[in-house]
């Protein structure tokens, strides 16, 4: 349980730093081949899954918000700092200094995600609202899975991200399905929200 103690906070920060390093190193893989391993850092599926798990294993609303903030801030730091360091040795990573604009932008997004995490933790109240809240991260994964399926068919790329999103969707979707009280609200929310997210976020890029 991520309870906000020094030990759990250190664990979250360490996890964020490690994830930032790993996702940056995926840039060594080609982006536009069939598997597109580097897509794990540029699409949303991986972040939706990991942030959802951090919220789930937190001990309160405040801890969920703080844990997500620490995770994303530390990930952003190692992600962009490693690119800056690699730029001294590898031309493909050179960008005339630290990318402060993107670093600040994604830290602002981290603050937004932290606030959202505070709200999502209310799924533990086991009321009608929890059926809706549990469906939100699943809906995001469903929308990206649909979008990537179409993109893979048309462009023959992003296979790895599609497999990752699909497996995450099945595991998280079934897990939360067992936890909700009103399964009809849960399913209807997934259908409605995933459709909206798909047409607003993913459809314009297909």
């Amino acid at each position: 349980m991520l309870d906000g103690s020094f030990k759990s906070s250190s664990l979250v920060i360490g996890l964020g730093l490690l994830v930032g390093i790993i996702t940056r190193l995926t840039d060594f893989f080609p982006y536009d081949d069939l598997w597109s391993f580097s897509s794990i850092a540029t699409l949303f599926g991986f972040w939706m899954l990991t942030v959802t798990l951090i919220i789930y294993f937190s001990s309160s609303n405040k801890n969920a918000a703080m844990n997500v903030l620490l995770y994303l801030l530390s990930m952003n730091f190692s992600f962009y700092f490693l690119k800056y360091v690699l730029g001294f040795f590898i031309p493909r990573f050179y960008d005339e200094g630290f990318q402060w604009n993107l670093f600040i932008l994604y830290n602002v997004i981290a603050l937004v995600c932290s606030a959202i995490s505070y709200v999502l933790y209310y799924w533990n109240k086991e009321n009608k609202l929890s059926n809706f809240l549990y469906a939100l991260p699943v809906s995001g994964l469903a929308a990206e899975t649909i979008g990537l399926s179409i993109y893979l068919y048309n462009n023959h790329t992003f296979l790895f991200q599609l497999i990752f999103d699909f497996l995450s969707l099945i595991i998280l979707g079934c897990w939360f399905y067992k936890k909700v009280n009103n399964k009809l609200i849960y399913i209807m929310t997934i259908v409605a929200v995933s459709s909206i997210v798909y047409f607003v976020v993913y459809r314009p890029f297909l």
Side-chain angles (χ1 to χ4, degrees):
M1 181 66 69
L2 302 175
D3 56 6
S5 65
F6 177 79
K7 181 178 180 180
S8 68
S9 297
S10 298
L11 176 62
V12 171
I13 293 173
L15 178 63
L17 292 172
L18 179 62
V19 167
I21 292 171
I22 292 174
T23 51
R24 174 54 75 189
L25 292 178
T26 61
D27 284 344
F28 283 103
F29 293 102
Y31 183 77
D32 55 356
D33 67 351
L34 176 62
W35 287 95
S36 298
F37 287 110
S38 60
S39 65
I40 195 71
T42 56
L43 294 172
F44 301 122
F46 178 77
W47 310 115
M48 285 189 281
L49 176 66
T50 55
V51 167
T52 298
L53 292 176
I54 289 174
I55 297 170
Y56 183 85
F57 288 109
S58 296
S59 59
S60 68
N61 298 74
K62 291 182 179 179
N63 284 337
M66 182 56 65
N67 288 333
V68 168
L69 183 61
L70 290 175
Y71 169 69
L72 292 178
L73 289 181
S74 57
M75 182 279 300
N76 285 338
F77 172 76
S78 60
F79 186 82
Y80 286 104
F81 182 72
L82 180 58
K83 183 180 188 300
Y84 175 69
V85 173
L86 290 174
F88 288 106
F89 307 99
I90 304 173
R92 65 181 296 184
F93 291 101
Y94 182 69
D95 195 47
E96 297 184 352
F98 192 85
Q99 292 182 299
W100 286 106
N101 55 338
L102 291 175
F103 179 70
I104 294 173
L105 171 63
Y106 283 107
N107 281 345
V108 172
I109 293 175
L111 288 171
V112 175
C113 291
S114 176
I116 294 173
S117 302
Y118 185 95
V119 176
L120 285 179
Y121 191 83
Y122 279 111
W123 60 35
N124 292 302
K125 300 298 182 181
E126 297 183 356
N127 51 29
K128 290 183 178 180
L129 181 61
S130 66
N131 302 304
F132 171 77
L133 294 176
Y134 270 125
L136 293 182
V138 179
S139 300
L141 285 169
E144 184 163 290
T145 299
I146 295 170
L148 284 175
S149 298
I150 298 172
Y151 196 86
L152 173 66
Y153 178 79
N154 292 329
N155 299 280
H156 310 293
T157 189
F158 288 166
L159 178 58
F160 173 72
Q161 184 67 49
L162 174 61
I163 294 173
F164 180 90
D165 282 9
F166 178 74
L167 292 178
S168 300
L169 170 62
I170 296 301
I171 294 171
L172 203 64
C174 292
W175 181 17
F176 285 176
Y177 179 83
K178 294 178 180 179
K179 296 187 68 65
V180 298
N181 295 323
N182 192 317
K183 295 179 175 17
L184 179 60
I185 294 178
Y186 175 74
I187 294 174
M188 290 179 63
T189 300
I190 292 175
V191 173
V193 175
S194 61
S195 298
I196 294 171
V197 173
Y198 166 74
F199 282 106
V200 172
V201 177
Y202 294 99
R203 178 61 182 172
F205 297 97
L206 298 177

